[in-house]
Amino acid sequence: MLKKLLLAACVSGFVLTACAAGNSAAATTLGSGVDASAVQVVQRALAKLAPGVQVDVVNRAPLPGFYQVIASGQLLYVSADGKYLMNGELVDLDAKKSVNDAAWAAFRKAELAKVPAAARIEYAPANPKYRITVFTDVTCPYCRVLHEHMAELNQAGIAVDYMAWPRSGVEDETGRPTETYKAMVSAWCATDPKAALDGAFAGREPKPASCVNPVQQEFDLGMRLGVNGTPAIFTASGRQIGGYLTPLQLLQALQKD
């Protein structure tokens, strides 16, 4: 579990500790004008800090001489010679906006689109105007507050797709499943997952259940998308807008998306 917790802060003081992603066999997405040799440069550079880092995306950066890289839940800039790494926001001063935001949104939108509907727990009105994906945890206080407003969200035309993200991780320090992970699995494997989730958010533990479930995969996906807390709210465009937001704040954010 410590290894996975380190993922959330794996670039700190220029140290990429234990940043290997759960799915190390995933293919790297290459941007225009980028070939396999660039991936090799990036992989060699990151290996100096943490061997085995999963590189998800390599694009040419707007900053000359650098690649823009998404790896293990972090967006980084690596020089074309593999000598330098930068971690932080790259701002387009003319446009007055972060260059990172668009890269993150494109990556997150593409990755979230791969998750089948059956792996999500959906709360939706008949004809939704908006759809959000929320990485959630039944033990998270702000997740519970958000869920209390579900009827209000649906009335505002907002569909909510829940994905599981146990904050305590999938395994504890001894390698055993965490209690939160087991609760999330029980909710996803329940005969009526929505009723089980409703009860869990109300403080009632789901009846123990097991099945082939997506909780581990959704936890790993959240790590790759940069999730480091719950609720983590993403719009259909892939933009992260929360953190907890009130229904009004959420609607206003979606109207601007």
Side-chain angles (χ1 to χ4, degrees):
M1 178 54 200
L2 178 60
K3 180 177 180 179
K4 290 182 177 178
L5 284 176
L6 286 169
L7 281 166
C10 66
V11 180
S12 177
F14 300 103
V15 176
L16 274 163
T17 306
C19 282
N23 182 6
S24 59
T28 302
T29 299
L30 305 182
S32 177
V34 176
D35 58 23
S37 64
V39 179
Q40 293 172 357
V41 169
V42 169
Q43 288 175 330
R44 285 196 298 267
L46 298 184
K48 295 175 183 178
L49 299 176
V53 172
Q54 169 61 40
V55 178
D56 290 305
V57 179
V58 178
N59 280 308
R60 289 197 177 278
L63 186 66
F66 278 80
Y67 295 115
Q68 184 185 68
V69 178
I70 295 178
S72 296
Q74 301 290 327
L75 193 150
L76 311 163
Y77 293 90
V78 177
S79 63
D81 61 4
K83 187 176 182 179
Y84 299 101
L85 178 149
M86 296 191 300
N87 171 40
E89 293 291 333
L90 181 62
V91 178
D92 183 327
L93 295 177
D94 290 334
K96 295 183 175 63
K97 65 179 181 181
S98 169
V99 174
N100 294 21
D101 292 344
W104 265 129
F107 175 64
R108 288 163 169 164
K109 179 180 180 180
E111 293 301 303
L112 290 172
K114 298 175 185 177
V115 181
R120 307 163 183 253
I121 297 180
E122 179 193 56
Y123 290 77
N127 298 293
K129 298 178 183 177
Y130 309 100
R131 183 171 294 275
I132 59 175
T133 298
V134 181
F135 285 84
T136 194
D137 178 333
V138 295
T139 69
C140 155
Y142 280 107
C143 295
R144 291 180 176 181
V145 175
L146 179 68
H147 192 75
E148 289 172 0
H149 293 289
M150 187 59 68
E152 191 176 346
L153 294 173
N154 288 168
Q155 288 169 5
I158 302 171
V160 178
D161 287 335
Y162 277 133
M163 299 226 282
W165 204 80
R167 296 176 301 153
S168 57
V170 171
E171 297 177 345
D172 63 19
E173 298 278 340
T174 67
R176 297 175 181 174
T178 65
E179 293 303 313
T180 306
Y181 169 75
K182 290 190 288 186
M184 302 294 279
V185 168
S186 294
W188 255 253
C189 291
T191 303
D192 185 342
K194 287 177 69 174
L197 203 57
D198 290 341
F201 281 126
R204 301 188 298 274
E205 282 194 25
K207 181 180 178 180
S210 62
C211 65
V212 176
N213 67 83
V215 176
Q216 169 80 66
Q217 289 87 350
E218 292 182 358
F219 178 81
D220 291 341
L221 174 61
M223 298 299 284
R224 291 177 59 227
L225 300 187
V227 173
N228 56 22
T230 53
I233 305 173
F234 297 89
T235 69
S237 70
R239 188 165 66 94
Q240 184 170 6
I241 56 174
Y244 171 75
L245 296 173
T246 67
L248 178 59
Q249 290 171 328
L250 186 49
L251 180 59
Q252 290 173 337
L254 289 169
Q255 289 169 339
K256 295 177 182 177
D257 188 50

